[in-house]
Amino acid sequence: MSSFVCSVCHEPHSGVPLGYRLAFPADRYPVGAVRFERNEELVRAADDRFILANIELPISRGPQERFVWTCWISLSHESYDRMQRLWDRSDRADQESAFGYVSSRLPTYEPSTFALKSRVHTRPVGVRPWVELEPTHHPLAVEQRDGIGDDRIAALYHFYEARASGETRQK
Ligand SMILES: [Zn+2]
């Protein structure tokens, strides 16, 4: 949670979320045609393998704080099987990171965050893995490197607010 004067609406906000979690990208599969199997952060869907992991961005005004996108990363079968095999082991964080593609389209980023290359790093049991993006010029990769500003945190807050009230209006 965070409080600041908003660069979008110029009002003070408090309790602005410092992260969002993306739903599983089920819309890419035909309805009812695919069996999903979930084991904590690991999901199989048809021939695809995914892990739910955190893209963490240092917050520019206080880099000890993090803004967190919890989203879906696709893994090779080999990496997925290894992650699953070591999932409950106390030394799982010692394993090599796994290559993966970002499979969530995070709102407001242009171009899309879909298929950005990354490495997934496991952490101790009970702690969600973190994602190291390939150090490109993509805005998300730049934010992971240089930090996310209050203006961006405000823009995301307003994005989700507008979407929530839009859904309410449609009832
Ligand atoms: Zn605002």
Side-chain angles (χ1 to χ4, degrees):
M1 300 290 223
S2 178
S3 38
F4 51 83
V5 175
C6 179
S7 59
V8 177
C9 67
H10 308 292
E11 298 289 327
H13 290 313
S14 59
V16 174
L18 292 181
Y20 300 92
R21 175 172 169 164
L22 280 283
F24 182 78
D27 52 350
R28 73 172 64 167
Y29 301 101
V31 176
V34 168
R35 207 174 114 219
F36 298 98
E37 231 180 279
R38 176 153 188 185
N39 169 26
E40 298 193 356
E41 325 296 75
L42 297 164
V43 170
R44 306 163 165 254
D47 223 16
D48 299 324
R49 303 290 182 267
F50 299 95
I51 189 165
L52 186 63
N54 287 345
I55 298 176
E56 302 181 355
L57 315 173
I59 293 176
S60 303
R61 125 185 82 77
Q64 71 285 359
E65 275 192 281
R66 291 278 184 275
F67 183 94
V68 181
W69 286 113
T70 300
C71 63
W72 296 91
I73 310 292
S74 77
L75 299 174
S76 68
H77 287 213
E78 292 73 15
S79 297
Y80 181 94
D81 291 347
R82 169 163 59 92
M83 291 271 179
Q84 190 163 54
R85 201 169 58 245
L86 300 175
W87 194 251
D88 294 319
R89 286 190 27 175
S90 58
D91 61 347
R92 75 176 191 184
D94 299 338
Q95 69 181 299
E96 203 186 316
S97 61
F99 177 82
Y101 291 103
V102 176
S103 285
S104 298
R105 296 174 198 276
L106 305 183
T108 74
Y109 292 93
E110 283 293 338
S112 172
T113 58
F114 184 79
L116 288 178
K117 294 176 184 170
S118 72
R119 310 260 347 157
V120 178
H121 298 261
T122 37
R123 293 195 281 209
V125 173
V127 187
R128 189 165 283 145
W130 71 278
V131 179
E132 176 187 8
L133 295 167
E134 185 184 39
T136 63
H137 294 297
H138 188 281
L140 183 61
V142 171
E143 284 179 347
Q144 185 165 61
R145 200 159 56 234
D146 298 343
I148 182 170
D150 282 341
D151 56 332
R152 288 280 303 134
I153 293 172
L156 289 162
Y157 169 76
H158 279 281
F159 172 86
Y160 280 106
E161 282 290 293
R163 206 169 69 158
S165 57
E167 282 166 5
T168 306
R169 272 200 304 275
Q170 281 166 16
K171 272 181 193 166

